[in-house]
Amino acid sequence: MINNTHNDVRFDAEIPTGKTGWKSPSNIALVKYWGKKPVQIPRNPSVSFTLSKAVTKTEMHFSPAQGKEMKVRFFFEGKQNKTFEKKTQHYFESLLPLFPFIGQLDFRIYSENSFPHSAGIASSASGMSALALCLCDIEKRYFSTFNDEASFLKKASSVARLGSGSACRSLYGGCTVWGETPEMENTSDLYGIPFNALHPVFQTYRDTILLVDTGVKKVSSRAGHTLMETNPFATARFEQARSHLDSLFTALKTGDVETFIRISESEALTLHAMMMTSQPYYMLLKPASVAVIEKVFAFREKSGLPLSFTLDAGPNIHLLYPEIIEKEVDVFLQKELPELVKQKAIIHDKVGNGPQRIVL
Ligand code: PMV
C-alpha cells in the first residue's frame, strides 16, 4: 500500500505520459568528504568546485505503470545498461517515501556522460544529481509543492545525496558547501548550499583533468567510506577537515590563492593517506600520478605561478589554476606531459554554472 502523503502534501494526482531532462555537472572536492554515518551523513563538512564540461545529460520518460510495480529501463550512452537499471530501480524504491508518485509510474531513462566512464571523474555526482532534478521536476509539474527555486534545489540536493553523497554538491554553480559547520550559516548535513562569497579569481578557476590511468576503480567509494570507521587516524582526520574548511573559506572569499593551494593539496594527499593507512590498505596513485605531482611542484617552484593539483579517490590528477595563467599551463603540458597531450587524455574544464534543464 503506497502512502501518498509526504510533509502533509497529498501525491494522488494522476500523472500522464511525459518527459523531463537535465544536464548536471560533476564537482571536484577541495575539502574532501571521506567517511560517513547512515544515511549518507558526512563525518565532516566538505566544499567543492562545480565543473562545467564534465556533465551527465539525462532524459527521463515516464508513463503510468503497466504492471503492479514501478519499472525502470536504463539506457546509458545509447545501450540498455542492466547494472544502472538495477541500481536506479533500487534507488527509486528507496525514494518512495519522498516521492510517493514514483510508485504509479514506469521510467525509461536515457543518460550520457561528456567524459569517459571510470575516468576518475565523479560520474555518480553528475548522474545522481541529474536523476534527482528529473524527479523533483515531475513533483514540481504535477504537485506544485515547491514555493521557490531554492526549495526545489534543496530537495534535489538532498535526494541526490541519498544516491551518492558528493552528488548533493552538484546543484549549484561556483562552489558548494555540504555539511553542518559553524563557519557558515544555513549549512546542513542533509544537503549542499551555494558558497555565495566566492572571490572572482576562483569564479573562473581552471580544472585540467589529466587521465593518467582510466582503469576500473580498485576500491568503490562505498568501501572507502567504510574503511574510515576503523582507520586509526579517522578522528584526527575529521578534525583536520574542519580546520581546513575554516582556512579555505577565508581564502575562497579573499582570493588568497596561496592558502587555497596549501589546503587543497594537503586535502588531496590526506585522502590518499587515509586509503594507505586503512585496513585493508590501498594504493590508488600510479607512478605517473606521482610524476605529475612532482612536475607541478617543480613548475611552481621555478615559475612562481600558482599551478596546483587535487585528486579524487583514484590516480587521475586535477590541475587547478587561475584563468590568467592558462597559456603558461598550456606550455607546461606540451613540454612536460607530451604523451598525455598526444593521447588526448586531457579534459580542459573549469568552474561552472550548475545544472540546466534540457527538456522543456
Ligand atoms: O559521493 P561518494 O560516496 O562517491 O564519495 C566521494 C568521495 C570523494 O570523491 C573521494 C571526495 C568528495 O568529497 O567528493
Side-chain angles (χ1 to χ4, degrees):
M1 177 67 185
I2 296 166
N3 175 6
N4 271 330
T5 309
H6 178 60
N7 285 350
D8 292 334
V9 177
R10 283 197 64 76
F11 284 92
D12 48 8
E14 296 280 320
I15 300 178
T17 295
K19 64 178 177 178
T20 174
W22 283 80
K23 177 170 101 174
S24 194
S26 183
N27 67 74
I28 180 70
L30 304 166
V31 169
K32 310 288 181 184
Y33 146 63
W34 200 239
K36 63 178 170 184
K37 298 177 260 187
V39 180
Q40 307 277 78
I41 299 297
R43 288 277 181 187
N44 63 262
S46 58
V47 60
S48 56
F49 278 151
T50 302
L51 298 182
S52 167
K53 288 197 196 148
V55 296
T56 299
K57 283 187 192 168
T58 296
E59 226 180 89
M60 186 181 279
H61 297 216
F62 48 88
S63 51
Q66 292 302 298
K68 273 200 191 131
E69 311 266 300
M70 163 270 295
K71 243 202 200 124
V72 176
R73 289 275 164 272
F74 201 112
F75 299 84
F76 182 64
E77 302 189 335
K79 273 202 225 122
Q80 188 167 8
N81 186 312
K82 291 279 178 190
T83 310
F84 289 169
E85 203 159 279
K86 229 169 118 188
K87 270 193 185 166
T88 311
Q89 173 89 28
H90 192 71
Y91 175 49
F92 280 16
E93 279 163 10
S94 76
L95 293 177
L96 269 167
L98 296 175
F99 299 108
F101 61 83
I102 284 182
Q104 51 158 299
L105 296 172
D106 284 340
F107 297 89
R108 263 178 309 126
I109 296 164
Y110 301 89
S111 192
E112 59 186 45
N113 290 346
S114 64
F115 49 89
H117 190 53
S118 289
I121 299 173
S123 56
S124 60
S126 51
M128 288 298 171
S129 53
L131 281 178
L133 282 160
C134 290
L135 291 173
C136 285
D137 215 25
I138 301 176
E139 173 173 334
K140 182 177 161 190
R141 208 178 298 175
Y142 297 101
F143 304 99
S144 312
T145 40
F146 300 110
N147 296 330
D148 50 25
E149 176 85 353
S151 58
F152 174 85
L153 290 172
K154 197 163 156 179
K155 179 156 180 180
S157 176
S158 163
V159 168
R161 182 195 105 245
L162 296 170
S164 155
S166 58
C168 78
R169 295 188 314 240
S170 278
L171 279 298
Y172 303 97
C175 197
T176 303
V177 182
W178 168 37
E180 220 178 303
T181 166
E183 307 305 329
M184 198 172 140
E185 275 183 3
N186 301 323
T187 46
S188 168
D189 284 347
L190 303 179
Y191 45 81
I193 65 166
F195 183 86
N196 281 330
L198 196 60
H199 186 277
V201 73
F202 293 116
Q203 288 173 17
T204 56
Y205 228 63
R206 291 333 201 211
D207 178 0
T208 296
I209 308 164
L210 307 177
L211 306 175
V212 303
D213 184 291
T214 52
V216 179
K217 272 190 179 183
K218 265 199 244 165
V219 54
S220 68
S221 54
R222 181 201 293 236
H225 288 292
T226 307
L227 291 176
M228 287 304 279
E229 285 165 26
T230 50
N231 184 297
F233 307 107
T235 307
R237 157 60 195 154
F238 301 140
E239 273 168 28
Q240 178 207 41
R242 286 174 194 280
S243 126
H244 275 169
L245 196 83
D246 184 12
S247 313
L248 192 64
F249 275 180
T250 310
L252 290 171
K253 280 182 204 156
T254 58
D256 178 353
V257 170
E258 212 173 290
T259 303
F260 171 88
I261 293 176
R262 185 170 53 78
I263 302 294
S264 54
E265 286 190 346
S266 167
E267 277 289 313
L269 296 175
T270 303
L271 172 66
H272 283 259
M274 288 299 109
M275 226 96 62
M276 291 182 213
T277 54
S278 289
Q279 202 56 260
Y281 40 80
Y282 290 93
M283 161 61 86
L284 303 184
L285 295 175
K286 297 281 178 187
S289 325
V290 177
V292 172
I293 291 172
E294 287 187 333
K295 283 176 196 287
V296 170
F297 289 157
F299 174 86
R300 200 159 69 221
E301 173 92 33
K302 193 158 170 234
S303 67
L305 296 173
L307 173 66
S308 67
F309 71 90
T310 190
L311 304 159
D312 224 322
N316 296 318
I317 309 278
H318 291 245
L319 292 180
L320 300 177
Y321 52 96
E323 183 186 22
I324 196 165
I325 67 162
E326 208 166 33
K327 278 210 181 83
E328 289 85 345
V329 174
D330 213 41
V331 173
F332 163 82
L333 293 174
Q334 304 281 348
K335 198 170 143 226
E336 301 291 342
L337 303 163
E339 280 308 306
L340 289 179
V341 175
K342 207 161 77 201
Q343 291 161 18
K344 297 200 171 26
I346 300 182
I347 299 172
H348 291 281
D349 212 336
K350 58 181 177 185
V351 171
N353 297 326
Q356 241 184 1
R357 185 196 299 279
I358 50 171
V359 175
L360 292 179

